[in-house]
Amino acid sequence: MPGSVPVALGCVREHHAELTSTNDRALAWARAGAVHGACVTADQQTAGRGRLGRRWDSPSAGGLYLSIVLRPVGLYATNWSPDWAGLGLAVGLGVRAGLAAWVPQAKLKWPNDILVDGRKLGGVLCEMRWQGTVPDAVAGIGINVAQQTFASDLQATSLALALPGACPTVGEVLEAVLLGLAPVLDQFFTAGFRAIRPEYIAHSAVLGQRLTVAGRVVTAVGFDDDGALRVSADGHGPGWRVEAEDVWLLAQAPAPPY
Ligand code: BT5
């Protein structure tokens, strides 16, 4: 029955000193038959990636670089749909829940950023490859844990910078993230983004905010059932859907320098 199978994230694990990208390895492992919940981690990534071909800086021992194989077809056959935006939002929400003991103020900037005090602490990159009708899906998660400095073009932060003197280890962050993710993914695969929307809204950095999207200034007014962001010019009415473009927060004060 959908939802009745516990989501055993981390039931099988691989750790590497170095990978190009944990998503590459997890996708290859998924293609070779890895089970739902199989996890790949690395101390560093030489070609860590974000959305749209962007990079994810992944220095050695600086962060959590994690990819999880997801097989919702096997567990939730009747409920699977290639609901891409919604899956990424669910992963972000679960990661936020996992980190909440350390950074309860963490917010979710649609679609896939985890922000702390206006700076990017982490990001999510879900990728999928289809084999016939069965998707190999992977959720990639990057969290800055111990980094003290970042490239000058990044508005980034880490748990070490947010929690001087009380920073958890990468291993502790991994376990917390898996614990946070499990119930959220269970809800998502059972009932879709709608089921987690109220909690997602509670932690949204964009809802009600003025944003720039594709060169237009708009207000974020809601999230559709599939996780698309709904924006309107004046903050009223149904507005229109934003599915994949980047959005920029207008009201966000420049983050203070460290
Ligand atoms: C993301 O993309 O934020 C998704 C990042 C996912 C990384 C994980 S690590 C494990 C797995 N394996 C991978 O290869 N990827 C996943 P996006 O929204 O496109 O953000 C990318 C942008 O974030 C870059 O263009 C930079 O501006 C910024 N950035 C890069 N590295 C960063 C870092 N370490 N911390 C904060 N911001 C960073």
Side-chain angles (χ1 to χ4, degrees), residues 19-25 40-42 45 47-59 63-68 109 111-114 119-127 138-144 147 149-151 153-158 246 248:
L19 286 173
T20 51
S21 156
T22 54
N23 270 22
D24 288 342
R25 173 60 201 140
V40 178
T41 48
Q45 301 182 116
R49 59 177 176 268
R51 296 189 314 133
L52 309 170
R54 291 185 291 234
R55 75 180 200 277
W56 185 256
D57 288 4
S58 314
L64 173 65
Y65 315 116
L66 163 68
S67 299
I68 307 171
K109 177 177 164 281
N112 65 333
D113 291 355
I114 295 144
R119 290 174 178 268
K120 187 156 168 172
L121 177 80
V124 172
L125 176 68
C126 293
E127 295 184 298
V138 160
I141 296 155
I143 308 287
N144 299 322
Q147 289 100 313
T149 57
F150 291 93
D153 61 322
L154 300 186
Q155 281 267 318
T157 191
S158 65
D246 284 314
W248 306 94

Side-chain angles (χ1 to χ4, degrees), residues 70 80 83-92 126 128 137 185 188-189 226:
L70 301 174
W80 172 251
D83 188 349
W84 214 218
L87 175 59
L89 303 189
V91 173
C126 293
M128 187 187 277
L185 287 180
F188 174 77
F189 288 134
D226 62 356

Side-chain angles (χ1 to χ4, degrees), residues 102-138:
W102 296 297
V103 280
Q105 75 275 34
K107 294 230 172 266
L108 300 167
K109 177 177 164 281
W110 190 96
N112 65 333
D113 291 355
I114 295 144
L115 301 184
V116 169
D117 305 330
R119 290 174 178 268
K120 187 156 168 172
L121 177 80
V124 172
L125 176 68
C126 293
E127 295 184 298
M128 187 187 277
R129 305 278 185 273
W130 288 87
Q131 300 193 68
T133 56
V134 182
D136 290 333
V138 160

Side-chain angles (χ1 to χ4, degrees), residues 156-247:
T157 191
S158 65
L159 290 174
L161 291 170
L163 300 163
C167 181
T169 64
V170 172
E172 288 167 338
V173 175
L174 167 63
E175 298 311 321
V177 162
L178 293 177
L179 277 177
L181 273 168
V184 179
L185 287 180
D186 196 17
Q187 266 185 297
F188 174 77
F189 288 134
T190 303
F193 176 71
R194 267 181 306 177
I196 57 170
R197 180 166 40 200
E199 203 190 337
Y200 186 86
I201 284 173
H203 300 294
S204 170
V206 303
L207 194 63
Q209 300 296 315
R210 299 292 279 168
L211 311 169
T212 308
V213 183
R216 292 189 66 175
V217 176
V218 297
T219 299
V221 293
F223 302 96
D224 281 354
D225 284 355
D226 62 356
L229 175 64
R230 198 157 269 281
V231 298
S232 87
D234 58 3
H236 300 290
W240 66 92
R241 286 163 57 84
V242 179
E243 291 176 4
E245 297 100 304
D246 284 314
V247 306

